[in-house]
Structures are given as C-alpha cells and as structure tokens.
Amino acid sequence: MIDQVKEMLKQRCKYLSNVEILQLHEAMEFAEKAHSGQKRATGEPYIIHPLEVSLILAEYKADIISLICALLHDVVEDTVIPLSEIEQHFGTQVAFIVDGLTKFEKGTIEKEEYGAVNTEKLLSTAMIDIRVAAIKLADRLHNMRTLAIKRIEKKIPYANETLLFFSPLAEKVGLYRLQEELEDLAFSYLNSSRYKQFKKFMEGHTERNSTTFHKFIEKFQSSDPHNVIIHKECRKLPLFKSYNLISEGHHISDLFTIHVTTKTALNCYTALGIIHSIFEPVPDQFMDEIAIEKHPFLKHLKTKVKMNNDIIHVIIQDERTQSFYENGIFVNIHETDMQFLSEKLLGNSIHSVKSIANNSIAFCELISFELFQKEITVFTPKMDVITLPVNSNIIDFAYAINPSLASKMTFAKVNGEVQSLQTTLQDMDIVEIHTKNKITANAKWLLHVQTSKAVKEIMEVVDEC
C-alpha cells in the first residue's frame, strides 16, 4: 500500500523539475524511516498520512518546499528526530515551516488552552510563511477523510472546528476545492440526515442550473465573434454554505455562479459589454473588482442578469484570476516575497490581536471573529479601498487608514453626510475623516470599536495621555 501511494505522489508531481523530484524522493525516504513501525488509528502504516497530505497539495501544484514539509510535518511531534536534524538535511525554510506545524508538548496544560496555544503558533507562523496554513489545511482534510473511525464524541467537535476555523482559513488562502470538501465532510458528520436531504435537493437544482448555464453560454458565443471567452464553467457554493444561505431565505440562484474567463483584464470589459447587450442587467448589482481591488489575487467583474425568469450571477475574470481559483496561493509562490504574500492574504489582524490578547484563549476568540468574519468594502474620498469586518464603524475605518490622524478625529462624513463616529458602516460607503491638531481619542471609543487594530491604537493613546 505504501508503494502504491508513493507512486501516485510521483505521478502527480510530474510538474516538478528533475532536481525537485530527487528532493521529493529524499523527503519520502526520510519520513518513511522516521515513522517506521508507527500506525494510525485506522491500522495503516503512519507514513500513509503524510504521503496523502502531500498528494492533496500536489493537486494544487504545490511547490517543492510545501511538499517536503507535508511529508515531514509530524516527524518532530511524533518521533525522536529533533528539528535540528530536519534543518541539517532540508534547510532552514523547511525547518521553520515544520516547526510551525509542530504542536507544543501538552504537559499539564488544559485541553482548551492547549488547542488555543497551538492555534496561535500556527497563525503566527503562517503570517511569515502562508504555506504553513496550506499544509495544515491538507492535513486537516486527510484527517476528515478518515474521521469515521473516531468515536462520536470526537467526531462532532472535530467537525465543528473544521467548519468554524479551517473552512474559512481555506477560503483565505484560495484553496476552494479543499474548502468545499472540508465543509461537505463536516456537514455530513454534524447532521447526517439533513446533509443527505439537502444534498439531494441541490443535485436536482444543479441539473436544472446546468441547462441554464448552457443556454447562457450558447447565446453569449453567438454574439462573440472574436472569441473573447477562453474558458467557462458553472460553479456552486459549498454544500454547507448553500444550506446556510437557503436557511437565511436566499434564493436558489444565489448558490450558482457562471465564471467566464478571458485572456486579459481588458477583455473582461469586452465580455461584460456583450453580456449586458444580450441580457438585461439587474440594477445595482455590478461590481468592478478589477479597478477597485477587494482581494489581492481575485481581479474580476461581477454582475447579475436576467434570462427569461432566471437571475444569473456572472463573474468575468482573466486567466490569472482563474489560476488563483484553481491553485490558490501556489500560483504566486515563485513570484512573490513569502511574507508579503502571507500578509496580503491574512492582513494585519494577527499582529494586532496578539498585542492586545492577554492569553492564547483570548487570542483565538478575537482572531476567529476578526480574521474570518464577513467583510465590507469602504472607500476613502480618493476611492482607496479599506476592507473591514462587518459591523465596523467610522473609528475602525479611521484607524485602518492612519492611526495618528484617527486619534485626532473630530467628525466624519459618510456618503457626504455628517455622521456620529460610532456609526456602523455599510458595504460600499465612502467615508471622509475630519481632524483637529490635538488628540481627541479617549477610552470611551473602546466601547464602540470592532477591530483589534483600533483597540490597540486607542489603548496606546489613552495610556500616553
């Protein structure tokens, strides 16, 4: 069985260079020797797990560093081999990532605190190298695939944690197919009967939506003499997310999106013009996320149109964005400074929360709200984009732009009208900040803000006064 999985990994990693293939073989041999004699709860040799984690990452064309770290991710935690030996064989980058994936020794730490300490370590390391998060997600997915052998009292909290923490983390790093499978598996364990019912419900609507998709594409292509579209597909939201939206009263059409891919960003606008000339646009539903960046790697146009009695969601993107949808962070691994990439995707919440949290449990409570909360997009008068958690107010906005100016704020205008500083902002608001030459921030502001950055900066100002 081991040889079979190793051969599958070799076949899936044919995109690597010859030198990288040799490095992969070395890591496989090292991991297999380290885990020799160990077995998982399933009864299979332990080495199967790191091999499967690497297989998952190879689906996204992960770089060689990620694959090596996936093979070695449990070596320090579960064997006698120290981190120094991994560094000696595979270098400092691999050792850093493996260390980020290695849990602390439990000792006498309570279960809740132990989980929180390890989560804080994971995210702190991921802020420096986002590959830590990607490998942890692949590790979680393989564990979810083999969760059936666990007792029910283990399955439920594990599946719940998967939905609350790991699924939104997967979305952050662009591993969308992985996210979908995580949610699907977790939902099936948390409520098996409802999962089966809703899956059957969605299968029926997926078939109907497929017919709508083909009609849409047929009409588009007949009006596209220059063949602007180079790829098209219909995507549906993950099952659990779909279930939640339907429970909240959303229409079934909100669960499906037609993705149209063009060669360049300029061609996206050409495609948009064709679509709006054929189909009636739904008012106030167009968003230009090419000109106004809401995500560092998703450059697309969003629109909704009517076709007969159907409302169709359309995303128009270039090849680069399509690649990010398919391979997530691994599209950018070789072209971007790793820490810059990590901070682009995770933002500055982790640093801010660490500075104000008294302990790891408080850190986890704050970060789960701030990092994975739904977001709104708010603009400065110059149309600079500021992304904030839902329910953020003008004070949060000001500190997100410029802390020194925010601390001198006297009033603000939202969409041209003067508003209280505690005003909760809405998606697409335009906010104009007005200041004095003296500090106006005070402890009362802490009662209203949502973001850790605002809390941190206000506390520092109050302490100085």
Side-chain angles (χ1 to χ4, degrees):
M1 185 178 183
I2 296 173
D3 290 340
Q4 184 181 358
V5 182
K6 285 167 72 174
E7 186 57 35
M8 286 172 62
L9 181 58
K10 291 173 190 175
Q11 291 300 316
R12 195 168 287 176
C13 290
K14 284 185 174 179
Y15 62 87
L16 297 174
S17 69
N18 291 335
V19 171
E20 290 171 337
I21 291 290
L22 290 174
Q23 293 173 324
L24 186 71
H25 287 182
E26 183 186 353
M28 279 195 279
E29 289 174 10
F30 188 96
E32 188 172 1
K33 185 177 179 182
H35 291 295
S36 178
Q38 294 181 340
K39 291 190 180 295
R40 298 195 85 210
T42 56
E44 63 190 10
Y46 195 91
I47 187 61
I48 296 294
H49 171 63
L51 286 169
E52 289 283 358
V53 172
S54 302
L55 265 171
I56 290 167
L57 292 172
E59 290 180 26
Y60 294 91
K61 293 184 169 53
D63 65 309
I64 186 60
I65 295 290
S66 298
L67 294 170
I68 290 172
C69 293
L71 289 165
L72 305 177
H73 77 273
D74 278 336
V75 167
V76 176
E77 188 174 318
D78 293 336
T79 78
V80 295
I81 293 174
L83 189 66
S84 58
E85 190 170 337
I86 286 178
E87 183 171 5
Q88 182 184 342
H89 278 83
F90 300 100
T92 54
Q93 253 187 329
V94 169
F96 176 80
I97 294 172
V98 170
D99 184 44
L101 294 161
T102 302
K103 293 177 182 174
F104 291 106
E105 288 188 24
K106 191 170 189 308
T108 57
I109 303 176
E110 292 291 327
K111 184 177 180 180
E112 184 184 5
E113 185 181 355
Y114 181 65
V117 165
N118 288 310
T119 297
E120 183 175 359
K121 180 184 181 184
L122 174 77
L123 290 176
S124 298
T125 315
M127 272 298 295
I128 300 168
D129 196 323
I130 195 67
R131 290 174 291 193
V132 173
I135 296 163
K136 186 65 179 178
L137 285 163
D139 171 63
R140 173 57 63 129
L141 178 54
H142 185 245
N143 285 335
M144 285 298 295
R145 287 174 177 175
T146 56
L147 191 62
I149 61 161
K150 299 283 188 183
R151 298 191 307 274
I152 188 70
E153 59 268 26
K154 294 273 189 182
K155 289 179 188 176
I156 298 303
Y158 200 80
N160 194 48
E161 182 187 41
T162 297
L163 285 176
L164 294 177
F165 180 81
F166 288 98
S167 171
L169 182 60
E171 188 170 354
K172 280 280 183 185
V173 301
L175 301 181
Y176 301 113
R177 283 175 285 126
L178 189 151
Q179 179 197 16
E180 184 168 355
E181 188 176 350
L182 279 178
E183 289 195 6
D184 202 69
L185 289 166
F187 188 13
S188 70
Y189 283 114
L190 287 172
N191 196 326
S192 178
S193 60
R194 196 162 293 176
Y195 165 79
K196 290 174 184 174
Q197 289 171 0
F198 192 71
K199 190 170 187 178
K200 189 174 182 180
F201 167 81
M202 284 299 294
E203 284 168 356
H205 282 281
T206 300
E207 188 175 334
R208 179 182 180 280
N209 199 74
S210 177
T211 303
T212 303
F213 166 68
H214 288 297
K215 286 180 180 177
F216 175 92
I217 293 301
E218 187 179 320
K219 285 189 175 183
F220 182 98
Q221 289 182 325
S222 66
S223 301
D224 179 20
H226 302 295
N227 297 316
V228 170
I229 292 184
I230 59 173
H231 180 77
K232 64 272 184 187
E233 66 179 302
C234 184
R235 295 182 187 165
K236 63 178 184 293
L237 290 176
L239 199 68
F240 186 71
K241 191 170 288 183
S242 297
Y243 172 75
N244 283 336
L245 288 174
I246 291 296
S247 300
E248 292 168 7
H250 284 255
H251 191 269
I252 191 72
S253 64
D254 292 337
L255 313 182
F256 297 90
T257 305
I258 293 176
H259 284 244
V260 170
T261 304
T262 69
K263 195 77 177 171
T264 65
L266 185 59
N267 284 344
C268 290
Y269 294 98
T270 303
L272 176 73
I274 295 171
I275 290 168
H276 280 182
S277 69
I278 307 169
F279 308 102
E280 181 187 349
V282 178
D284 303 320
Q285 293 299 314
F286 169 65
M287 294 187 69
D288 186 342
E289 294 182 15
I290 295 175
I292 299 171
E293 181 183 295
K294 290 185 73 173
H295 187 285
F297 305 115
L298 297 179
K299 314 289 187 186
H300 50 212
L301 308 175
K302 291 181 177 179
T303 188
K304 290 182 187 177
V305 296
K306 296 177 184 177
M307 188 176 77
N308 300 326
N309 295 321
D310 296 313
I311 300 293
I312 301 173
H313 296 237
V314 186
I315 286 179
I316 310 166
Q317 63 204 13
D318 62 9
E319 284 185 297
R320 185 73 171 167
T321 298
Q322 169 68 11
S323 296
F324 185 80
Y325 272 113
E326 290 176 353
N327 297 320
I329 60 165
F330 296 110
V331 171
N332 302 279
I333 285 292
H334 300 295
E335 304 166 21
T336 314
D337 172 75
M338 191 54 61
Q339 188 159 353
F340 174 79
L341 175 63
S342 306
E343 290 176 355
K344 269 281 192 181
L345 290 166
L346 295 179
N348 57 20
S349 298
I350 293 169
H351 290 316
S352 300
V353 170
K354 280 176 73 71
S355 69
I356 63 172
N358 296 325
N359 53 55
S360 295
I361 293 175
F363 170 87
C364 287
E365 289 173 351
L366 285 168
I367 203 65
S368 62
F369 165 78
E370 194 155 321
L371 194 59
F372 303 136
Q373 174 75 308
K374 288 182 180 178
E375 293 178 333
I376 57 171
T377 298
V378 188
F379 301 95
T380 69
K382 294 181 178 179
M383 298 309 288
D384 294 324
V385 178
I386 303 297
T387 303
L388 295 166
V390 166
N391 296 323
S392 296
N393 61 26
I394 291 172
I395 303 172
D396 292 301
F397 172 84
Y399 278 104
I401 299 173
N402 186 322
S404 61
L405 286 178
S407 295
K408 298 175 182 177
M409 181 168 52
T410 52
F411 72 95
K413 292 181 179 179
V414 179
N415 304 324
E417 296 185 6
V418 175
Q419 299 287 354
S420 159
L421 298 184
Q422 291 82 41
T423 300
T424 299
L425 298 172
Q426 304 300 317
D427 197 39
M428 309 304 285
D429 278 346
I430 300 172
V431 183
E432 181 182 339
I433 301 300
H434 292 261
T435 62
K436 283 185 176 179
N437 289 324
K438 65 177 184 178
I439 299 295
T440 55
N442 59 75
K444 290 181 180 178
W445 285 12
L446 292 170
L447 301 174
H448 304 286
V449 292
Q450 295 285 325
T451 59
S452 56
K453 183 174 183 180
V455 171
K456 171 180 175 290
E457 298 291 346
I458 295 166
M459 288 173 65
E460 287 179 1
V461 169
V462 169
D463 286 344
E464 288 174 5
C465 293

